[in-house]
Amino acid sequence: MDRESPLEALGIGFRLWQLGVEASIVIGLRSWKIASGGSGAGAEASRMVSEKWLALVDANTRLLTGSYGSSPHSVADALLRLYGGKVRANRRRLTRR
């Protein structure tokens, strides 16, 4: 296994920080939607739970089959792409008018 360069690790760390910030925004948006009640609140709560389970199953399946590669960098990169895409999609959906 090759060692990754410090710049690669720094890049992964920065992307992880970005994902954390964006996930915090989505948590706030979802909390606001659920707290405001109405028909959309229950649908959002249900969607949130099912999305989390599906993402967990997807990530674990890919990890167990080795489709993310074997290096820590390739696994981290793939997981950041998977979860980052889902978080971005939720942010766009929740901020749309």
Side-chain angles (χ1 to χ4, degrees):
M1 178 178 354
D2 294 332
R3 291 186 55 106
E4 63 185 41
S5 77
L7 288 178
E8 286 176 320
L10 186 62
I12 292 290
F14 181 71
R15 289 175 54 209
L16 187 57
W17 174 80
Q18 283 180 309
L19 178 60
V21 169
E22 198 161 21
S24 295
I25 292 167
V26 169
I27 289 168
L29 291 168
R30 279 187 150 163
S31 297
W32 181 264
K33 184 165 188 163
I34 291 169
S36 61
S39 61
E44 187 64 32
S46 182
R47 178 184 191 132
M48 179 176 62
V49 171
S50 65
E51 281 179 354
K52 289 184 184 304
W53 274 109
L54 290 172
L56 176 68
V57 169
D58 186 25
N60 281 322
T61 301
R62 292 179 191 213
L63 283 168
L64 291 172
T65 60
S67 64
Y68 285 153
S70 60
S71 76
H73 183 266
S74 68
V75 172
D77 183 60
L79 287 171
L80 281 167
R81 275 188 279 113
L82 172 71
Y83 285 106
K86 293 181 182 307
V87 169
R88 274 187 297 284
N90 276 317
R91 182 184 47 79
R92 283 191 302 266
R93 179 180 57 79
L94 289 164
T95 55
R96 218 177 352 198
R97 289 221 167 232

Coordinates of all heavy atoms in Angstrom, one line a residue:
M1 N 0.8 -1.2 0.0 CA 0.0 0.0 0.0 C 0.9 1.2 0.0 O 1.8 1.4 0.8 CB -0.9 0.0 1.2 CG -1.8 1.2 1.3 SD -3.0 1.3 2.7 CE -3.0 -0.2 3.5
D2 N 0.6 2.1 -0.9 CA 1.4 3.4 -1.0 C 0.9 4.4 0.1 O -0.2 4.4 0.4 CB 1.2 4.0 -2.4 CG 1.8 3.2 -3.5 OD1 2.8 2.5 -3.2 OD2 1.3 3.3 -4.6
R3 N 1.9 5.1 0.6 CA 1.5 6.2 1.5 C 1.0 7.4 0.8 O 1.6 7.7 -0.3 CB 2.8 6.5 2.4 CG 3.2 5.4 3.3 CD 4.3 5.9 4.2 NE 3.9 7.1 4.9 CZ 3.6 7.1 6.2 NH1 3.6 6.1 6.9 NH2 3.3 8.3 6.8
E4 N 0.0 8.0 1.3 CA -0.5 9.2 0.6 C 0.3 10.4 1.0 O 0.9 10.4 2.1 CB -2.0 9.4 0.9 CG -2.3 9.6 2.4 CD -3.8 9.7 2.6 OE1 -4.5 8.9 2.0 OE2 -4.1 10.6 3.4
S5 N 0.4 11.3 0.2 CA 1.1 12.5 0.5 C 0.4 13.4 1.5 O -0.9 13.3 1.6 CB 1.4 13.3 -0.8 OG 0.2 14.0 -1.2
P6 N 1.1 14.3 2.2 CA 0.4 15.2 3.1 C -0.7 16.0 2.4 O -1.7 16.4 3.0 CB 1.5 16.0 3.7 CG 2.7 15.2 3.6 CD 2.5 14.4 2.3
L7 N -0.4 16.4 1.2 CA -1.4 17.2 0.4 C -2.6 16.5 0.1 O -3.7 17.1 0.2 CB -0.8 17.8 -0.9 CG 0.3 18.9 -0.7 CD1 0.9 19.3 -2.0 CD2 -0.3 20.1 0.1
E8 N -2.5 15.2 -0.1 CA -3.7 14.4 -0.4 C -4.6 14.3 0.9 O -5.8 14.4 0.9 CB -3.4 13.0 -0.8 CG -2.9 12.9 -2.3 CD -2.5 11.5 -2.6 OE1 -1.8 10.8 -1.8 OE2 -2.8 11.1 -3.8
A9 N -3.9 14.1 2.0 CA -4.6 14.0 3.3 C -5.2 15.4 3.7 O -6.3 15.4 4.2 CB -3.6 13.6 4.4
L10 N -4.5 16.5 3.3 CA -5.1 17.8 3.6 C -6.3 18.0 2.7 O -7.3 18.6 3.2 CB -4.0 18.9 3.3 CG -4.4 20.3 3.6 CD1 -4.7 20.4 5.1 CD2 -3.3 21.2 3.2
G11 N -6.3 17.6 1.5 CA -7.4 17.7 0.6 C -8.6 16.9 1.1 O -9.7 17.4 1.1
I12 N -8.4 15.7 1.6 CA -9.5 14.9 2.1 C -10.0 15.6 3.4 O -11.2 15.7 3.6 CB -9.0 13.5 2.5 CG1 -8.7 12.7 1.2 CG2 -10.0 12.7 3.4 CD1 -9.9 12.3 0.4
G13 N -9.1 16.1 4.2 CA -9.6 16.8 5.4 C -10.4 18.0 5.1 O -11.4 18.3 5.7
F14 N -10.0 18.8 4.1 CA -10.8 20.0 3.7 C -12.2 19.6 3.2 O -13.2 20.2 3.5 CB -10.0 20.8 2.6 CG -10.7 22.0 2.2 CD1 -10.9 23.1 3.1 CD2 -11.3 22.1 1.0 CE1 -11.6 24.3 2.7 CE2 -12.0 23.2 0.6 CZ -12.1 24.3 1.4
R15 N -12.2 18.5 2.3 CA -13.5 18.1 1.8 C -14.4 17.6 2.9 O -15.6 17.8 2.9 CB -13.3 17.0 0.7 CG -12.7 17.6 -0.6 CD -12.4 16.6 -1.6 NE -13.5 15.7 -1.9 CZ -13.4 14.5 -2.3 NH1 -12.2 13.9 -2.5 NH2 -14.4 13.8 -2.6
L16 N -13.8 16.9 3.9 CA -14.6 16.4 5.0 C -15.1 17.6 5.8 O -16.3 17.6 6.2 CB -13.7 15.6 5.9 CG -14.4 14.8 7.1 CD1 -15.5 13.9 6.6 CD2 -13.3 14.0 7.8
W17 N -14.3 18.7 6.0 CA -14.8 19.9 6.7 C -16.0 20.5 5.9 O -17.0 20.9 6.5 CB -13.6 20.9 6.8 CG -14.1 22.2 7.4 CD1 -14.3 22.5 8.7 CD2 -14.3 23.4 6.6 NE1 -14.7 23.8 8.8 CE2 -14.7 24.4 7.5 CE3 -14.3 23.7 5.3 CZ2 -15.1 25.7 7.1 CZ3 -14.6 25.0 4.9 CH2 -15.0 25.9 5.8
Q18 N -15.8 20.6 4.5 CA -16.9 21.2 3.7 C -18.2 20.4 3.9 O -19.3 20.9 4.0 CB -16.5 21.1 2.2 CG -15.5 22.2 1.8 CD -15.2 22.1 0.3 OE1 -14.8 21.0 -0.1 NE2 -15.3 23.2 -0.4
L19 N -18.0 19.0 3.9 CA -19.2 18.2 4.0 C -19.9 18.4 5.4 O -21.1 18.5 5.5 CB -18.8 16.7 3.9 CG -19.9 15.7 4.1 CD1 -21.1 15.9 3.1 CD2 -19.4 14.3 4.0
G20 N -19.1 18.6 6.4 CA -19.6 18.9 7.7 C -20.4 20.2 7.8 O -21.5 20.2 8.4
V21 N -19.9 21.2 7.1 CA -20.5 22.5 7.1 C -21.9 22.4 6.3 O -22.9 22.8 6.8 CB -19.6 23.6 6.5 CG1 -20.4 24.8 6.2 CG2 -18.5 23.9 7.4
E22 N -21.8 21.7 5.2 CA -23.0 21.6 4.4 C -24.0 20.7 5.1 O -25.2 21.0 5.0 CB -22.6 21.0 3.0 CG -23.7 21.3 2.0 CD -23.2 21.2 0.5 OE1 -22.2 20.5 0.3 OE2 -23.9 21.7 -0.3
A23 N -23.6 19.6 5.7 CA -24.5 18.8 6.5 C -25.2 19.5 7.6 O -26.4 19.4 7.9 CB -23.8 17.6 7.0
S24 N -24.4 20.4 8.2 CA -25.0 21.3 9.3 C -26.1 22.2 8.8 O -27.2 22.4 9.4 CB -24.0 22.1 10.0 OG -23.0 21.3 10.6
I25 N -25.9 22.7 7.6 CA -26.9 23.5 6.9 C -28.2 22.7 6.6 O -29.3 23.1 6.9 CB -26.4 24.2 5.6 CG1 -25.3 25.2 6.0 CG2 -27.5 24.8 4.8 CD1 -24.5 25.7 4.8
V26 N -28.0 21.5 6.1 CA -29.1 20.6 5.8 C -29.9 20.2 7.1 O -31.1 20.2 7.1 CB -28.7 19.4 5.0 CG1 -29.8 18.3 4.9 CG2 -28.2 19.8 3.6
I27 N -29.1 20.0 8.2 CA -29.8 19.6 9.4 C -30.7 20.8 9.9 O -31.8 20.6 10.3 CB -28.7 19.3 10.5 CG1 -28.1 17.9 10.2 CG2 -29.4 19.3 11.9 CD1 -26.8 17.7 11.0
G28 N -30.2 22.0 9.8 CA -31.0 23.2 10.1 C -32.2 23.3 9.3 O -33.3 23.6 9.8
L29 N -32.0 23.1 8.0 CA -33.2 23.3 7.0 C -34.2 22.2 7.3 O -35.4 22.5 7.3 CB -32.7 23.2 5.6 CG -31.9 24.4 5.1 CD1 -31.2 24.0 3.8 CD2 -32.7 25.6 5.0
R30 N -33.7 21.0 7.5 CA -34.7 19.9 7.8 C -35.4 20.1 9.1 O -36.6 19.8 9.3 CB -34.0 18.5 7.8 CG -33.8 18.0 6.4 CD -33.2 16.6 6.4 NE -33.7 15.9 5.2 CZ -33.1 14.8 4.8 NH1 -32.1 14.2 5.4 NH2 -33.6 14.3 3.7
S31 N -34.6 20.5 10.1 CA -35.3 20.8 11.4 C -36.3 21.8 11.3 O -37.4 21.7 11.9 CB -34.2 21.2 12.4 OG -33.2 20.2 12.6
W32 N -36.0 22.9 10.6 CA -37.0 24.0 10.4 C -38.3 23.4 9.7 O -39.4 23.8 10.1 CB -36.4 25.1 9.6 CG -37.3 26.2 9.4 CD1 -38.1 26.5 8.3 CD2 -37.5 27.3 10.3 NE1 -38.8 27.6 8.5 CE2 -38.5 28.2 9.7 CE3 -37.0 27.6 11.5 CZ2 -38.9 29.3 10.3 CZ3 -37.5 28.8 12.1 CH2 -38.4 29.6 11.5
K33 N -38.1 22.6 8.7 CA -39.2 22.1 7.9 C -40.1 21.2 8.8 O -41.3 21.3 8.8 CB -38.8 21.4 6.7 CG -39.9 20.9 5.8 CD -39.4 20.5 4.5 CE -40.6 20.2 3.6 NZ -40.3 20.2 2.2
I34 N -39.4 20.3 9.6 CA -40.2 19.4 10.5 C -40.8 20.2 11.6 O -42.0 19.9 11.9 CB -39.2 18.3 11.0 CG1 -38.8 17.4 9.8 CG2 -39.9 17.5 12.1 CD1 -37.6 16.4 10.2
A35 N -40.1 21.2 12.2 CA -40.7 21.9 13.3 C -41.9 22.8 12.9 O -42.8 23.1 13.7 CB -39.6 22.8 13.9
S36 N -41.9 23.2 11.6 CA -43.0 24.1 11.1 C -44.3 23.3 10.9 O -45.3 23.9 10.7 CB -42.6 24.8 9.9 OG -42.3 23.9 8.8
G37 N -44.2 22.0 10.9 CA -45.4 21.1 10.9 C -46.0 21.1 9.5 O -45.4 21.4 8.5
G38 N -47.2 20.6 9.4 CA -47.9 20.5 8.2 C -47.7 19.2 7.5 O -47.0 18.3 8.1
S39 N -48.2 19.0 6.3 CA -48.1 17.7 5.6 C -46.6 17.4 5.2 O -46.2 16.3 5.1 CB -49.0 17.7 4.4 OG -48.6 18.7 3.5
G40 N -45.8 18.5 5.0 CA -44.5 18.3 4.6 C -43.5 17.8 5.7 O -42.5 17.2 5.4
A41 N -43.9 18.1 6.9 CA -43.1 17.7 8.1 C -42.9 16.2 8.2 O -41.8 15.7 8.3 CB -43.7 18.3 9.3
G42 N -44.1 15.5 8.1 CA -44.0 14.0 8.2 C -43.3 13.4 7.1 O -42.5 12.4 7.2
A43 N -43.5 13.9 5.9 CA -42.9 13.4 4.7 C -41.4 13.6 4.8 O -40.6 12.8 4.4 CB -43.4 14.1 3.4
E44 N -41.0 14.8 5.3 CA -39.5 15.1 5.4 C -38.9 14.2 6.4 O -37.8 13.7 6.2 CB -39.3 16.5 5.8 CG -37.8 17.0 5.8 CD -37.2 16.9 4.4 OE1 -37.9 17.1 3.4 OE2 -36.0 16.6 4.3
A45 N -39.5 13.9 7.5 CA -39.0 13.0 8.5 C -38.8 11.6 8.0 O -37.8 11.0 8.2 CB -39.8 13.1 9.8
S46 N -39.8 11.2 7.3 CA -39.8 9.8 6.7 C -38.7 9.7 5.7 O -37.9 8.8 5.6 CB -41.2 9.5 6.1 OG -41.2 8.2 5.6
R47 N -38.6 10.8 4.8 CA -37.6 10.8 3.8 C -36.2 10.8 4.4 O -35.3 10.1 3.9 CB -37.8 12.0 2.9 CG -36.7 12.2 1.9 CD -36.9 13.5 1.1 NE -36.1 13.5 -0.1 CZ -36.5 13.8 -1.3 NH1 -37.8 14.2 -1.5 NH2 -35.7 13.8 -2.3
M48 N -36.0 11.5 5.5 CA -34.7 11.6 6.1 C -34.2 10.2 6.6 O -33.1 9.8 6.4 CB -34.8 12.6 7.3 CG -33.5 12.8 8.0 SD -33.6 14.0 9.3 CE -34.9 13.4 10.4
V49 N -35.1 9.5 7.3 CA -34.8 8.2 7.8 C -34.5 7.2 6.7 O -33.5 6.5 6.7 CB -35.9 7.7 8.8 CG1 -35.7 6.3 9.2 CG2 -36.0 8.6 10.0
S50 N -35.3 7.2 5.7 CA -35.1 6.2 4.6 C -33.8 6.5 3.8 O -33.1 5.6 3.4 CB -36.3 6.2 3.7 OG -36.5 7.4 3.0
E51 N -33.5 7.8 3.6 CA -32.3 8.2 2.9 C -31.1 7.7 3.7 O -30.1 7.3 3.1 CB -32.2 9.7 2.7 CG -33.1 10.2 1.6 CD -32.9 11.7 1.4 OE1 -32.3 12.4 2.3 OE2 -33.5 12.3 0.5
K52 N -31.1 7.9 5.0 CA -30.0 7.5 5.8 C -29.7 6.0 5.8 O -28.6 5.6 5.7 CB -30.1 8.0 7.2 CG -30.0 9.5 7.3 CD -30.1 10.0 8.7 CE -30.0 11.5 8.8 NZ -28.9 12.2 8.1
W53 N -30.8 5.3 5.8 CA -30.7 3.8 5.8 C -30.1 3.4 4.4 O -29.3 2.5 4.3 CB -32.0 3.1 6.1 CG -32.2 2.9 7.6 CD1 -33.0 3.6 8.4 CD2 -31.4 2.0 8.4 NE1 -32.9 3.2 9.7 CE2 -31.9 2.2 9.7 CE3 -30.4 1.1 8.2 CZ2 -31.4 1.5 10.8 CZ3 -29.9 0.4 9.3 CH2 -30.4 0.6 10.6
L54 N -30.7 3.9 3.4 CA -30.3 3.5 2.0 C -28.8 3.9 1.8 O -28.0 3.1 1.2 CB -31.1 4.2 1.0 CG -32.6 3.7 0.9 CD1 -33.4 4.5 -0.1 CD2 -32.6 2.2 0.4
A55 N -28.4 5.1 2.3 CA -27.0 5.5 2.1 C -26.0 4.6 2.9 O -25.0 4.2 2.4 CB -26.8 6.9 2.5
L56 N -26.5 4.2 4.1 CA -25.7 3.3 4.9 C -25.5 1.9 4.2 O -24.4 1.4 4.1 CB -26.3 3.1 6.3 CG -25.6 2.1 7.2 CD1 -24.3 2.6 7.7 CD2 -26.5 1.8 8.4
V57 N -26.6 1.4 3.7 CA -26.6 0.1 3.1 C -25.7 0.1 1.8 O -24.9 -0.7 1.5 CB -28.0 -0.4 2.7 CG1 -28.0 -1.6 1.8 CG2 -28.7 -0.8 4.0
D58 N -25.9 1.2 1.0 CA -25.1 1.4 -0.2 C -23.6 1.5 0.1 O -22.8 0.8 -0.5 CB -25.5 2.7 -0.9 CG -24.9 2.9 -2.3 OD1 -24.4 1.9 -2.9 OD2 -24.8 4.0 -2.7
A59 N -23.2 2.3 1.1 CA -21.8 2.5 1.5 C -21.2 1.1 2.0 O -20.1 0.8 1.6 CB -21.7 3.6 2.5
N60 N -21.9 0.5 2.8 CA -21.4 -0.8 3.4 C -21.3 -1.9 2.3 O -20.3 -2.6 2.3 CB -22.3 -1.3 4.5 CG -22.0 -0.6 5.8 OD1 -20.9 -0.3 6.1 ND2 -23.1 -0.3 6.5
T61 N -22.3 -1.9 1.4 CA -22.2 -2.9 0.3 C -20.9 -2.6 -0.6 O -20.2 -3.6 -0.9 CB -23.4 -2.8 -0.6 OG1 -24.6 -3.1 0.2 CG2 -23.4 -3.8 -1.7
R62 N -20.7 -1.4 -0.9 CA -19.6 -1.1 -1.7 C -18.2 -1.3 -1.0 O -17.3 -1.7 -1.6 CB -19.7 0.4 -2.2 CG -20.8 0.6 -3.2 CD -20.9 2.0 -3.6 NE -22.1 2.3 -4.3 CZ -22.2 3.2 -5.3 NH1 -21.1 3.9 -5.6 NH2 -23.3 3.4 -5.9
L63 N -18.2 -1.0 0.3 CA -17.0 -1.3 1.1 C -16.7 -2.8 1.2 O -15.6 -3.2 1.0 CB -17.2 -0.7 2.5 CG -17.0 0.8 2.7 CD1 -17.5 1.2 4.1 CD2 -15.6 1.2 2.5
L64 N -17.8 -3.6 1.4 CA -17.6 -5.0 1.5 C -17.2 -5.7 0.2 O -16.5 -6.7 0.2 CB -18.8 -5.7 2.1 CG -19.1 -5.4 3.5 CD1 -20.5 -5.9 4.0 CD2 -18.0 -5.9 4.4
T65 N -17.6 -5.1 -0.9 CA -17.3 -5.7 -2.2 C -16.0 -5.2 -2.8 O -15.5 -5.6 -3.8 CB -18.4 -5.5 -3.3 OG1 -18.6 -4.0 -3.4 CG2 -19.7 -6.1 -2.8
G66 N -15.4 -4.2 -2.1 CA -14.1 -3.6 -2.6 C -14.2 -2.7 -3.7 O -13.2 -2.3 -4.3
S67 N -15.4 -2.2 -4.0 CA -15.6 -1.3 -5.2 C -15.0 0.1 -5.0 O -14.9 0.8 -5.9 CB -17.0 -1.3 -5.7 OG -17.8 -0.7 -4.7
Y68 N -14.7 0.4 -3.7 CA -14.1 1.7 -3.4 C -12.5 1.7 -3.5 O -11.9 2.7 -3.4 CB -14.4 2.2 -2.1 CG -15.8 2.7 -1.9 CD1 -16.5 2.6 -0.7 CD2 -16.5 3.2 -3.0 CE1 -17.8 3.1 -0.6 CE2 -17.8 3.7 -2.9 CZ -18.4 3.7 -1.6 OH -19.7 4.1 -1.5
G69 N -12.0 0.5 -3.8 CA -10.5 0.4 -3.9 C -10.0 -0.1 -2.5 O -10.7 -0.4 -1.6
S70 N -8.7 -0.1 -2.4 CA -8.1 -0.6 -1.2 C -7.3 0.4 -0.4 O -6.9 0.2 0.7 CB -7.2 -1.8 -1.5 OG -6.2 -1.5 -2.4
S71 N -7.0 1.5 -1.0 CA -6.2 2.5 -0.3 C -7.1 3.4 0.5 O -8.3 3.7 0.1 CB -5.4 3.4 -1.3 OG -6.2 4.3 -2.0
P72 N -6.6 3.9 1.6 CA -7.4 4.8 2.5 C -7.9 6.0 1.7 O -9.0 6.5 1.9 CB -6.5 5.2 3.6 CG -5.5 4.1 3.7 CD -5.3 3.6 2.3
H73 N -7.0 6.5 0.8 CA -7.4 7.7 0.1 C -8.6 7.4 -0.9 O -9.5 8.2 -1.0 CB -6.2 8.2 -0.7 CG -6.5 9.5 -1.5 ND1 -6.9 9.5 -2.8 CD2 -6.5 10.8 -1.1 CE1 -7.1 10.7 -3.2 NE2 -6.9 11.5 -2.2
S74 N -8.5 6.3 -1.6 CA -9.6 6.0 -2.5 C -10.9 5.7 -1.8 O -12.0 6.1 -2.3 CB -9.2 4.8 -3.4 OG -9.2 3.6 -2.7
V75 N -10.9 5.1 -0.7 CA -12.1 4.8 0.1 C -12.7 6.1 0.6 O -13.9 6.4 0.5 CB -11.8 3.8 1.3 CG1 -13.0 3.7 2.2 CG2 -11.4 2.5 0.7
A76 N -11.8 7.0 1.2 CA -12.3 8.3 1.7 C -12.8 9.1 0.6 O -13.9 9.7 0.7 CB -11.1 9.0 2.4
D77 N -12.2 9.1 -0.6 CA -12.6 9.9 -1.7 C -14.0 9.4 -2.2 O -14.9 10.2 -2.4 CB -11.6 9.8 -2.8 CG -12.0 10.7 -4.0 OD1 -12.2 11.9 -3.9 OD2 -12.2 10.1 -5.1
A78 N -14.2 8.1 -2.3 CA -15.4 7.6 -2.7 C -16.6 7.8 -1.7 O -17.7 8.2 -2.1 CB -15.3 6.1 -3.0
L79 N -16.3 7.7 -0.5 CA -17.3 8.0 0.5 C -17.7 9.4 0.6 O -18.9 9.8 0.7 CB -16.9 7.5 1.9 CG -16.8 6.0 2.1 CD1 -16.2 5.6 3.4 CD2 -18.3 5.4 2.0
L80 N -16.7 10.3 0.4 CA -17.0 11.7 0.4 C -17.9 12.1 -0.8 O -18.8 12.9 -0.8 CB -15.7 12.6 0.4 CG -15.1 12.7 1.8 CD1 -13.7 13.3 1.7 CD2 -15.9 13.6 2.7
R81 N -17.6 11.4 -2.0 CA -18.4 11.7 -3.2 C -19.8 11.2 -2.9 O -20.8 11.9 -3.3 CB -17.8 11.0 -4.4 CG -16.7 11.9 -5.1 CD -16.3 11.3 -6.4 NE -15.2 10.3 -6.1 CZ -15.4 9.0 -6.4 NH1 -16.5 8.6 -7.0 NH2 -14.4 8.2 -6.1
L82 N -20.0 10.0 -2.4 CA -21.3 9.4 -2.1 C -22.1 10.3 -1.2 O -23.2 10.8 -1.6 CB -21.2 8.0 -1.5 CG -22.5 7.4 -1.0 CD1 -23.3 7.0 -2.2 CD2 -22.2 6.2 -0.2
Y83 N -21.6 10.6 0.0 CA -22.4 11.4 1.0 C -22.4 12.8 0.6 O -23.5 13.5 0.8 CB -21.8 11.2 2.4 CG -22.1 9.9 3.0 CD1 -21.2 8.9 3.1 CD2 -23.4 9.6 3.4 CE1 -21.5 7.6 3.6 CE2 -23.7 8.3 3.9 CZ -22.8 7.4 4.0 OH -23.1 6.1 4.5
G84 N -21.4 13.4 0.0 CA -21.4 14.8 -0.5 C -22.5 15.0 -1.5 O -23.2 16.0 -1.4
G85 N -22.6 14.1 -2.4 CA -23.7 14.2 -3.4 C -25.1 14.2 -2.8 O -25.9 15.0 -3.2
K86 N -25.3 13.4 -1.9 CA -26.6 13.3 -1.2 C -26.9 14.5 -0.4 O -28.0 15.0 -0.4 CB -26.7 12.0 -0.4 CG -26.6 10.7 -1.2 CD -26.7 9.5 -0.4 CE -26.6 8.3 -1.2 NZ -27.5 8.2 -2.3
V87 N -25.9 15.0 0.3 CA -26.1 16.2 1.1 C -26.3 17.4 0.2 O -27.3 18.2 0.5 CB -24.9 16.5 2.1 CG1 -24.9 17.8 2.7 CG2 -24.8 15.4 3.1
R88 N -25.6 17.6 -0.9 CA -25.8 18.7 -1.8 C -27.2 18.6 -2.4 O -27.8 19.7 -2.5 CB -24.7 18.7 -2.9 CG -23.5 19.5 -2.4 CD -22.5 19.6 -3.6 NE -22.0 18.3 -4.1 CZ -21.1 17.6 -3.5 NH1 -20.5 18.0 -2.3 NH2 -20.7 16.4 -4.0
A89 N -27.6 17.5 -2.8 CA -28.9 17.3 -3.4 C -30.0 17.7 -2.4 O -31.0 18.4 -2.7 CB -29.2 15.9 -3.8
N90 N -29.9 17.4 -1.1 CA -30.9 17.8 -0.1 C -30.8 19.3 0.1 O -31.9 19.9 0.3 CB -30.6 17.0 1.2 CG -31.3 15.7 1.2 OD1 -32.4 15.5 0.8 ND2 -30.5 14.7 1.7
R91 N -29.6 19.9 0.1 CA -29.6 21.3 0.3 C -30.3 22.0 -0.8 O -31.0 23.0 -0.6 CB -28.1 21.8 0.4 CG -28.0 23.3 0.7 CD -26.6 23.8 0.7 NE -25.7 23.3 -0.4 CZ -25.8 23.8 -1.7 NH1 -26.6 24.8 -2.0 NH2 -25.0 23.3 -2.6
R92 N -30.0 21.6 -2.0 CA -30.7 22.2 -3.2 C -32.2 22.1 -3.1 O -32.9 23.0 -3.4 CB -30.1 21.6 -4.5 CG -28.8 22.2 -4.9 CD -28.4 21.8 -6.3 NE -28.4 20.3 -6.5 CZ -27.3 19.5 -6.4 NH1 -26.2 20.1 -6.1 NH2 -27.4 18.3 -6.6
R93 N -32.6 20.9 -2.8 CA -34.1 20.6 -2.7 C -34.7 21.4 -1.6 O -35.8 22.0 -1.8 CB -34.3 19.1 -2.4 CG -35.8 18.7 -2.3 CD -35.9 17.2 -2.0 NE -35.2 16.8 -0.8 CZ -35.7 17.0 0.4 NH1 -36.8 17.6 0.6 NH2 -35.0 16.5 1.5
L94 N -34.1 21.6 -0.5 CA -34.7 22.3 0.7 C -34.6 23.8 0.5 O -35.3 24.5 1.2 CB -34.0 21.8 2.0 CG -34.3 20.4 2.4 CD1 -33.3 19.9 3.5 CD2 -35.7 20.3 2.9
T95 N -33.8 24.3 -0.3 CA -33.7 25.7 -0.5 C -34.4 26.2 -1.7 O -34.5 27.4 -2.0 CB -32.2 26.2 -0.6 OG1 -31.5 25.5 -1.6 CG2 -31.5 26.0 0.8
R96 N -34.9 25.3 -2.5 CA -35.7 25.6 -3.7 C -37.1 26.2 -3.3 O -37.6 25.8 -2.3 CB -36.0 24.4 -4.5 CG -35.9 24.5 -6.0 CD -36.1 23.2 -6.7 NE -36.1 22.1 -5.8 CZ -35.9 20.9 -6.1 NH1 -35.7 20.6 -7.4 NH2 -36.0 19.9 -5.2
R97 N -37.6 27.1 -4.1 CA -38.9 27.7 -3.8 C -39.9 27.1 -4.6 O -39.8 26.7 -5.7 CB -38.9 29.2 -4.1 CG -38.0 29.9 -3.0 CD -38.7 31.2 -2.6 NE -38.0 31.7 -1.4 CZ -38.6 32.0 -0.3 NH1 -39.9 31.9 -0.3 NH2 -38.0 32.4 0.7

